[in-house]
Amino acid sequence: MRRNNHQRATFAEAAAATAIVAGSVCLFLRPVWDAPWKLAIGSANGEAPRHFWGLWATATHLDTWGPFVAHLEVDFPSGYTRHLMDPINLLFFIPGYLAGGGGPQGAALGYNLVHAAWVALAGVGGWLLSRRLLQNHSQRALAALTAALICATAPYLSASPYLGRTELLPGAAWPLHLWLLERALTRGRGRDIVAAGLSLAAIALGGWYLAGWLILLEPPVALALAWRIHRDNSTKTTDRSSCKAIIPGYLWFRLAMVALLAMLPVLPALQALLEWPPPIMSEEQRLNTHMGINTPPQLLLPMLSHQGLPGVEVPAYPGAIAFALALWGAFMRPRKAAAWFLAALVLMLISLGPYLIFTNDARALTENPPRLPAWYIEKLFPPIRFIWGWCRIGILLATPLSVAAAWGMASLAKRYSKVRIQLWLIIASLLLLDGTEDRAPAGVMGRAFDPSPPTELLEALDMAPPGAILQIPLDDFYMVWQLALDRPIAESLEIEDAREQSYLLQKVLLVLAEARLSPNVPSSPDDVRRAWKAMNEMLSDPHLRSCLESDSDALARAGYAAVVLHRDRLANLHQVLTPLLESSLGAPLYNSRDLALWVPRKNPQAHTPLCPLEKVQVYIP
């Protein structure tokens, strides 16, 4: 009878955890409920399109480039080949891509499946880890369900669609890895060790951010778990005072095997990373960018965390209710929860970045801002200098916080046992509200986007001959379309070859620079006036005008089949650029309110004057 009751209780716990995880996934995917095979979760002007096309391009070129390199026919004529930052996400993207029939629809379904999978694994891992660590506590069930809810609805995870950084999503599965690691150290079975090692590798394959943080955080956490297991085993056979302080050799061996199994799958990704390394920020750039900067009040006050940072980050806000529960757990059960709560505090401190700042405007820094632990970590471990968004460590914050909060919930449920169910429902509702409330950084454009090219663009390109397209302006969103259009695309904001060979593109860049075109900051009226002035100066100078008039032949000879002006993406700036393009390319072949298309023509009699070419950098604040 007792065994049947235990089985029924275990089944009820699992059913409740499944309901929490499934509900969390549905809440997370609410922006794409209408059409998960058509809309991709993420902001159109965040990093979502960039990671979207990276996964899509890699999935469609697996036979040529493998799973660690993304190749795209952009930056015409050179092309774009870089390491794929988050190859582990292909495990979920490819099945969704195939199930959706490929193309933009399949890619959207695969991209949404990536997000759903990591949210589910976060909730399952939080439940399993806390359930195991609380062992035979009488209130383990409610405590573990609380941890599952904290991990699956963590504020930083809930804000990830705004940011679009799929390389951080695997970090949400850290509690699942720690559960597998605890099992491997306790049981020592081969399959448990393999599972622990591969789960660690899976998180590290999310990208260099997670890999760098795991190098710092995994060893002390793993050693703490090994010490706890050794202490518990020792106290079963002898009194606590005679427990040896040294971790025995068999646990060291299991830790080493887990580490070795984690390293092997990461080596090919490391090779691709070394071949195509990320840019390293200079100290001056770090002090003049919003990237990765939190302010201390933002970490604990949810009303400030609404602001985020302009278009690029959100603070590593832990959630007020989860933090309060974790604090209570650390106070009531210091031997069990204090270390986990302290680990959460350390992550919050690291998330502030290298310098102590009390303003969102990084450019308001003094010459010598106070240094924080992240600064010293960079000095002691130079390879971690590639991390310039320290607040992104917030993706790992839910793991230690959930364990400490689980002990807090267990203590409350035991103290108020008569109303523990009602108490848990109230706390769960508050956690849900705090975790899933929208906290959009300034300037983001929604939580979902359609990756399919507009019908109007397809109609316009039907009128152009085969060949490369120059899109103005071009951002990551248009790079998504390249895979659907199957045409090379020239990037007007970055392509070096076009700057050298095309006077028209130089002047387009100049106008965009004068207008301070930025994906995150709209052009002001003064910026537009400066752009008008720059354009009028070009058209009023006879020599410069002859340079523009001869440039259609230069573009055609360079291989450009079409020049597309996306007026809907340029607000008032399209009125500035249209005369400039018409002076070189003539009347557009396709012309509508949102889009204009020109076809450059070769002219054997064209006289190319000596035009003053120069490289123009577009202003990005």
Side-chain angles (χ1 to χ4, degrees):
M1 179 67 70
R2 226 178 248 184
R3 183 176 180 181
N4 290 337
N5 290 338
H6 175 72
Q7 288 177 343
R8 282 196 293 268
T10 303
F11 177 80
E13 289 179 44
T18 302
I20 287 175
V21 171
S24 301
V25 171
C26 291
L27 282 174
F28 189 92
L29 294 177
R30 62 189 183 275
V32 297
W33 273 352
D34 294 340
W37 57 88
K38 182 180 180 183
L39 297 176
I41 190 167
S43 173
N45 64 335
E47 291 189 18
R50 180 183 310 175
H51 291 283
F52 183 94
W53 67 250
L55 291 169
W56 187 3
T58 306
T60 54
H61 295 95
L62 277 176
D63 56 339
T64 306
W65 296 96
F68 302 106
V69 178
H71 178 74
L72 203 64
E73 292 297 326
V74 298
D75 290 355
F76 176 81
S78 58
Y80 180 98
T81 305
R82 291 285 176 89
H83 77 282
L84 179 65
M85 191 172 185
D86 51 341
I88 189 62
N89 287 328
L90 290 172
L91 291 180
F92 306 113
F93 181 87
I94 292 176
Y97 179 73
L98 296 176
Q105 290 76 24
L109 185 60
Y111 193 73
N112 294 333
L113 184 59
V114 167
H115 290 77
W118 291 119
V119 173
L121 291 175
V124 171
W127 180 67
L128 291 172
L129 178 63
S130 292
R131 194 170 181 272
R132 188 168 185 87
L133 293 179
L134 268 70
Q135 294 180 346
N136 296 319
H137 195 286
S138 60
Q139 303 302 322
R140 181 181 71 169
L142 291 178
L145 293 177
T146 303
L149 189 59
I150 290 174
C151 289
T153 63
Y156 200 92
L157 178 62
S158 298
S160 59
Y162 290 125
L163 308 176
R165 299 189 179 105
T166 54
E167 78 271 19
L168 299 180
L169 292 175
W174 197 28
L176 180 61
H177 158 69
L178 293 181
W179 173 72
L180 291 169
L181 177 63
E182 204 275 347
R183 280 167 55 96
L185 295 177
T186 302
R187 300 182 179 186
R189 294 187 301 188
R191 64 185 182 187
D192 293 323
I193 292 175
V194 171
L198 293 182
S199 64
L200 181 59
I203 299 174
L205 286 171
W208 60 77
Y209 276 91
L210 289 175
W213 288 325
L214 288 176
I215 290 173
L216 295 175
L217 302 175
E218 180 76 10
V221 174
L223 289 175
L225 286 175
W227 162 247
R228 186 189 69 83
I229 293 168
H230 167 56
R231 183 195 63 189
D232 292 347
N233 290 340
S234 298
T235 54
K236 291 177 182 178
T237 57
T238 183
D239 56 49
R240 190 176 296 272
S241 61
S242 64
C243 176
K244 294 183 179 180
I246 301 176
I247 298 175
Y250 73 92
L251 287 177
W252 281 108
F253 175 76
R254 293 171 187 175
L255 286 171
M257 291 303 297
V258 169
L260 178 63
L261 288 170
M263 289 174 58
L264 294 177
V266 175
L267 291 178
L270 179 61
Q271 181 181 359
L273 174 62
L274 294 175
E275 186 175 355
W276 305 99
I280 304 297
M281 292 188 73
S282 67
E283 199 68 17
E284 181 180 359
Q285 288 173 315
R286 294 165 65 84
L287 288 175
N288 287 279
T289 179
H290 291 287
M291 184 69 78
I293 293 175
N294 277 335
T295 69
Q298 285 176 315
L299 292 181
L300 293 177
L301 297 177
M303 67 284 297
L304 290 182
S305 69
H306 283 283
Q307 300 293 327
L309 298 172
V312 292
E313 295 291 1
V314 293
Y317 169 61
I321 308 303
F323 186 85
L325 264 182
L327 179 61
W328 177 256
F331 177 75
M332 295 301 297
R333 300 296 300 268
R335 294 182 63 86
K336 300 289 187 180
W340 291 101
F341 182 69
L342 179 62
L345 290 179
V346 170
L347 290 182
M348 291 172 65
L349 182 60
I350 292 176
S351 77
L352 292 173
Y355 304 101
L356 183 61
I357 298 165
F358 287 93
T359 171
N360 274 349
D361 188 357
R363 289 165 290 188
L365 288 173
T366 59
E367 289 186 5
N368 297 303
R371 295 169 181 172
L372 291 176
W375 189 91
Y376 295 97
I377 291 173
E378 291 176 350
K379 292 298 180 183
L380 292 173
F381 186 54
I384 213 163
R385 288 277 299 166
F386 54 70
I387 292 179
W388 50 300
W390 280 97
C391 59
R392 303 179 193 183
I393 205 171
I395 195 69
L396 300 176
L397 179 58
T399 300
L401 199 71
S402 67
V403 176
W407 282 107
M409 185 69 241
S411 176
L412 285 174
K414 187 174 182 179
R415 174 171 292 205
Y416 304 102
S417 58
K418 292 184 179 180
V419 293
R420 63 184 184 276
I421 301 298
Q422 296 89 325
L423 180 62
W424 182 84
L425 289 174
I426 293 173
I427 291 175
S429 299
L430 293 174
L431 284 171
L432 198 61
L433 289 173
D434 194 24
T436 59
E437 184 180 0
D438 282 350
R439 291 185 178 88
V444 298
M445 295 168 52
R447 287 166 54 99
F449 64 93
D450 185 353
S452 301
T455 303
E456 191 175 30
L457 176 60
L458 297 176
E459 293 174 354
L461 289 175
D462 284 341
M463 306 171 65
I469 311 167
L470 170 65
Q471 308 226 49
I472 304 173
L474 182 74
D475 54 22
D476 291 323
F477 200 65
Y478 296 116
M479 297 168 89
V480 172
W481 294 350
Q482 191 277 320
L483 291 159
L485 298 174
D486 198 25
R487 282 173 176 255
I489 290 180
E491 188 166 1
S492 62
L493 300 187
E494 293 183 5
I495 179 166
E496 298 293 337
D497 292 338
R499 291 181 183 184
E500 295 291 350
Q501 68 193 11
S502 170
Y503 183 74
L504 172 64
L505 297 192
Q506 289 284 321
K507 299 309 142 186
V508 167
L509 283 168
L510 178 60
V511 170
L512 295 177
E514 289 294 333
R516 286 170 165 77
L517 180 71
S518 167
N520 302 316
V521 181
S523 302
S524 68
D526 288 340
D527 296 333
V528 176
R529 279 193 289 271
R530 279 194 296 270
W532 270 109
K533 182 180 178 182
M535 189 273 296
N536 286 327
E537 287 177 353
M538 285 181 257
L539 296 183
S540 61
D541 186 317
H543 177 69
L544 298 183
R545 189 174 183 85
S546 65
C547 290
L548 291 170
E549 291 172 351
S550 65
D551 217 35
S552 176
D553 177 73
L555 287 171
R557 292 181 183 279
Y560 295 101
V563 176
V564 180
L565 178 67
H566 293 272
R567 291 172 172 150
D568 55 336
R569 291 282 177 134
L570 288 167
N572 293 332
L573 274 181
H574 73 84
Q575 300 175 7
V576 185
L577 289 171
T578 298
L580 188 62
L581 291 165
E582 288 180 342
S583 67
S584 176
L585 304 173
L589 187 63
Y590 183 96
N591 197 12
S592 70
R593 184 187 66 178
D594 294 334
L595 185 143
L597 177 141
W598 289 265
V599 175
R601 305 292 185 186
K602 292 182 180 180
N603 182 6
Q605 279 76 42
H607 170 66
T608 304
L610 184 62
C611 299
L613 293 176
E614 60 180 349
K615 293 186 179 181
V616 181
Q617 298 295 329
V618 175
Y619 173 82
I620 301 294

